[in-house]
Amino acid sequence: MDKTEPRIVTNELYFEEVQRLLREGKEVCIRIKGNSMLPFIKNGDRVLLEAYRGTPLPSGANILAKHEGKFVFHRYVGKKNGNIVLAGDGNIALHEYVTSSDIIAIATKHYSGDSDLAKDISSSWSRFRGMSWYRLRILRRAISALKRRFLT
């Protein structure tokens, strides 16, 4: 069997195609780049996306959105001043503020590494676990500061 050579495309072109498929009502599986969603989702993992249809977001949902011209895959953690607040699980301080029109999709499944075993990341338990981790940010930030001060 012939193997197809991988192609390199720009994020803009890639996500243009992702959005087209989502608009057609299809689910789309994308590979995550970066570690901002650690410890739950790591670089190279895949997530299955469904188009966002404007319904109220459940707290802790993992979403794909456009923020300041870039695509981000982060957790919905709340609302502030009419904006939707996103945060990466691995971030201890940063937030992104977007509007509902910036949201592209909601993730429903997570595939760790090259596994074909899907984990439901839209379940109440998964979202609760993610929000619990988010709420520990202050403690995580304090521990990180102590580590920097005493271990470096």
Side-chain angles (χ1 to χ4, degrees):
M1 180 163 113
D2 291 332
K3 250 189 148 176
T4 305
E5 288 297 316
R7 294 183 192 176
I8 298 173
V9 296
T10 65
N11 262 4
E12 199 63 41
L13 184 60
Y14 177 77
F15 284 110
E16 214 173 271
E17 181 66 8
V18 167
Q19 290 175 90
R20 183 187 68 77
L21 292 167
L22 290 167
R23 280 191 304 274
E24 290 177 3
K26 297 178 181 170
E27 294 179 319
V28 180
C29 191
I30 65 168
R31 192 167 297 274
I32 298 300
K33 184 176 179 184
N35 289 313
S36 66
M37 290 300 287
L38 284 172
F40 303 112
I41 299 172
K42 66 182 188 305
N43 187 54
D45 287 358
R46 293 168 295 137
V47 293
L48 187 66
L49 303 173
E50 291 181 355
Y52 175 64
R53 304 278 182 219
T55 57
L57 290 167
S59 180
N62 292 282
I63 65 169
L64 176 67
K66 196 153 190 183
H67 175 258
E68 296 180 355
K70 295 186 178 180
F71 294 91
V72 295
F73 180 78
H74 282 167
R75 188 174 303 281
Y76 166 63
V77 296
K79 288 191 122 184
K80 185 173 184 179
N81 299 327
N83 288 314
I84 293 167
V85 183
L86 308 178
D89 291 338
N91 298 334
I92 57 175
L94 296 176
H95 288 98
E96 292 92 14
Y97 298 90
V98 298
T99 65
S100 60
S101 64
D102 296 320
I103 298 174
I104 298 163
I106 300 175
T108 58
K109 305 282 185 213
H110 169 229
Y111 301 87
S112 188
D114 289 326
S115 172
D116 288 329
L117 181 64
K119 297 174 196 160
D120 182 1
I121 58 173
S122 62
S123 70
S124 296
W125 166 248
S126 182
R127 291 184 289 105
F128 172 77
R129 183 182 66 170
M131 286 305 294
S132 297
W133 181 250
Y134 170 75
R135 289 184 181 107
L136 290 172
R137 282 178 124 192
I138 291 174
L139 179 61
R140 291 168 38 215
R141 198 175 321 160
I143 291 169
S144 180
L146 289 171
K147 279 183 173 178
R148 279 193 311 274
R149 181 170 179 153
F150 294 108
L151 298 178
T152 56

